[in-house]
Amino acid sequence: MRFIVLALVALAGLVPTAVAQAAPAPAPPNTVVRTDVITEVNPLGWRVAAVAIEYRKPINLGTAQIPNQAFTVTATINGTTAPRTVTAVYTSDAPELDTRGPKGTPGRLIIIELDQNDPNAGALVYAQGRNEPIPLTGAYAVRQTQPITDDRGRTRLPAAPYALTNQGQINPLVDDFISANFTDSANTTINFRLLQPQAQPAHRKDGFPLVVFLHGGGERGASNLTQITANQGAVAFARPERQASDPAYVLAAQVPAGQTWTTPTQQRALIELIDTLTASNPIDTDRIYVTGMSLGGIGTFDILQNNPGKFAAALPIAAAGDPTRMPLIKHVPIWATHSIDDPVVSYTNGTLALFNALDAAGTLTTRAQWAGNLPELQAEANALNQWAQAEANDSHALLTAFSAGTTPVNAHWSWVPTYLNDVMLDWLFEQDRQDRAPSPAATALLLAR
């Protein structure tokens, strides 16, 4: 009996010991899923703006901030490896730059913003007169050099002994344009990008406007990409705030190397593409607009003159053309911009000569001049004054010249201050073809075809 009692007591003493050893298993580490670079089309071109690291589980640091020095980033472009400057690091729930302040929200991503003024920040290379995309997959390496801790001092992401390389790229706005091609009735194929509005056209029974953007000479080729990434010409109309106020289709076609927008086969293919899009989508045919820069500005005037009853308005930039044909489009609302000291397309022999021809044809033009590097709000105030003056005089032809030595980077780049000017874009969307009738000469030209 004494043996049995001692055995029971011994067993009873083992119970709490067994319970104490049943500790919970440690949580698995928060591992990386993938790494991508994030690009941005800014006024001076396409840049790699950030790196996004996606993790398996959300990261919540409370009020703690991630120091910039916690990560190092290098880029290998054309065989040369050089550092990128880290300007901000924060957690996020979306693979995009956080434009709010303060930056960051709990999520599965860490966004590492980079200085877009870095010499190796570009996503395009300019060679032999053309912009071409830089292969970016695997070009960026990012290493976490310090542990990431939350506001209670707990390590959420330990430092890593290795660098991550990007598996791909994320292109906000650019990726919103579908990539396609179109073959016309003469068997000419043209590549194009198309942004389709996400809003409902209920507020306009006739559908959405269509903006036709014509790229410059440096964007010719077969990439079907550089026409929307080399500058803000197309994406200016795709930005969320612009699509919220003026939802529209945006068409950006691309001509092959060696061709122009005045090449008859390319222009015919573009016009047939426009007609096909308007026939198969809810597009308001009284609100088709055309805009272009340099080669595209020249094409804008040529296409208007060949189709004087088709477009509601135009925004040509750094353009030239045939002054003798300007009477054909004296009825078309046009707001043209050009740098006075443009070394590539002469202001005097280009846009100025065309507007002088409009004056001679009886069209009252409204002209203004200001610096191309003004702060945006000041430039928009000037544009608003010019628009008001034009309306007061019942003028639908506006010319804005940018003063010598003021256009950013290059005197030819007058599209930079133009597409940044929301007032000029507002003016474009205010125009309606029903408000203007083609001139008799333009009507006769159409009937003669």
Side-chain angles (χ1 to χ4, degrees):
M1 175 64 76
R2 183 171 178 272
F3 174 78
I4 295 174
V5 171
L6 290 175
L8 289 174
V9 171
L11 288 173
L14 292 176
V15 173
T17 302
V19 171
Q21 292 177 347
N30 195 357
T31 54
V32 173
V33 175
R34 64 176 293 120
T35 305
D36 295 286
V37 296
I38 301 175
T39 66
E40 184 173 73
V41 180
N42 70 29
L44 302 181
W46 205 20
R47 301 283 193 270
V48 175
V51 176
I53 306 176
E54 181 183 354
Y55 293 83
R56 294 195 181 279
K57 298 185 295 184
I59 305 164
N60 190 342
L61 304 178
T63 59
Q65 303 294 310
I66 304 175
N68 293 350
Q69 59 269 26
F71 289 89
T72 60
V73 179
T74 60
T76 303
I77 307 297
N78 295 328
T80 300
T81 300
R84 289 292 310 271
T85 306
V86 177
T87 59
V89 184
Y90 48 88
T91 57
S92 179
D93 58 357
E96 59 190 26
L97 275 66
D98 191 341
T99 57
R100 305 166 302 172
K103 296 175 180 289
T105 185
R108 294 175 56 229
L109 296 109
I110 284 184
I111 305 297
I112 306 167
E113 288 192 19
L114 306 171
D115 188 346
Q116 296 189 44
N117 293 315
D118 286 343
N120 57 344
L124 294 172
V125 61
Y126 188 77
Q128 299 180 334
R130 295 210 310 272
N131 284 297
E132 293 293 342
I134 294 173
L136 291 176
T137 299
Y140 273 69
V142 54
R143 181 177 177 183
Q144 182 185 336
T145 59
Q146 298 179 11
I148 306 298
T149 58
D150 63 16
D151 54 3
R152 295 172 61 185
R154 297 174 297 184
T155 297
R156 291 306 185 190
L157 297 172
Y162 49 82
L164 301 166
T165 55
N166 69 300
Q167 295 152 270
Q169 64 190 76
I170 299 167
N171 310 300
L173 295 185
V174 170
D175 289 339
D176 293 337
F177 286 77
I178 65 168
S179 176
N181 63 62
F182 171 77
T183 302
D184 73 358
S185 58
N187 208 33
T188 297
T189 299
I190 187 169
N191 291 331
F192 69 93
R193 289 279 185 148
L194 180 68
L195 179 81
Q196 302 171 88
Q198 299 302 307
Q200 296 297 322
H203 63 292
R204 287 191 63 88
K205 60 181 176 59
D206 297 323
F208 296 104
L210 168 64
V211 179
V212 179
F213 170 71
L214 307 182
H215 64 73
E219 290 71 65
R220 289 177 285 188
S223 68
N224 201 13
L225 178 64
T226 55
Q227 75 267 32
I228 61 172
T229 57
N231 50 69
Q232 288 193 316
V235 300
F237 300 95
R239 296 195 176 283
E241 56 271 24
R242 177 55 61 180
Q243 283 287 314
S245 62
D246 296 293
Y249 286 84
V250 184
L251 171 64
Q254 184 181 41
V255 294
Q259 303 291 302
T260 73
W261 293 113
T262 61
T263 303
T265 54
Q266 295 299 313
Q267 192 172 128
R268 183 183 60 242
L270 177 65
I271 294 299
E272 283 196 28
L273 171 57
I274 293 171
D275 291 341
T276 300
L277 291 174
T278 56
S280 55
N281 293 281
I283 292 174
D284 184 352
T285 54
D286 286 321
R287 299 184 69 207
I288 302 176
Y289 310 116
V290 59
T291 179
M293 36 173 275
S294 190
L295 184 81
I298 295 169
T300 295
F301 277 110
D302 193 64
I303 288 173
L304 286 175
Q305 292 164 350
N306 290 335
N307 305 270
K310 192 173 196 66
F311 297 92
L315 185 62
I317 305 166
D322 184 353
T324 66
R325 301 182 72 208
M326 291 305 288
L328 296 172
I329 56 172
K330 59 183 294 185
H331 65 286
V332 179
I334 300 172
W335 194 331
T337 65
H338 207 140
S339 299
I340 286 177
D341 54 341
D342 190 325
V344 178
V345 179
S346 167
Y347 167 72
T348 302
N349 299 326
T351 304
L352 181 60
L354 297 178
F355 266 68
N356 288 342
L358 281 178
D359 275 328
T363 297
L364 178 62
T365 62
T366 302
R367 307 183 186 201
Q369 179 178 326
W370 61 76
N373 56 0
L374 289 178
E376 288 182 39
L377 290 180
Q378 188 176 344
E380 289 173 357
N382 288 349
L384 198 59
N385 288 335
Q386 185 176 1
W387 184 358
Q389 181 185 352
E391 285 201 331
N393 295 329
D394 194 25
S395 168
H396 61 268
L398 296 80
L399 168 59
T400 299
F402 299 123
S403 305
T406 66
T407 301
V409 181
N410 186 306
H412 183 49
W413 291 17
S414 44
W415 51 86
V416 174
T418 300
Y419 289 124
L420 284 173
N421 197 308
D422 280 328
V423 172
M424 292 182 177
L425 305 192
D426 290 342
W427 173 89
L428 190 68
F429 282 107
E430 284 293 316
Q431 310 308 312
D432 193 308
R433 190 178 61 166
Q434 290 182 345
D435 297 336
R436 303 279 175 181
S439 66
T443 303
L445 175 66
L446 288 172
L447 293 175
R449 289 186 170 184

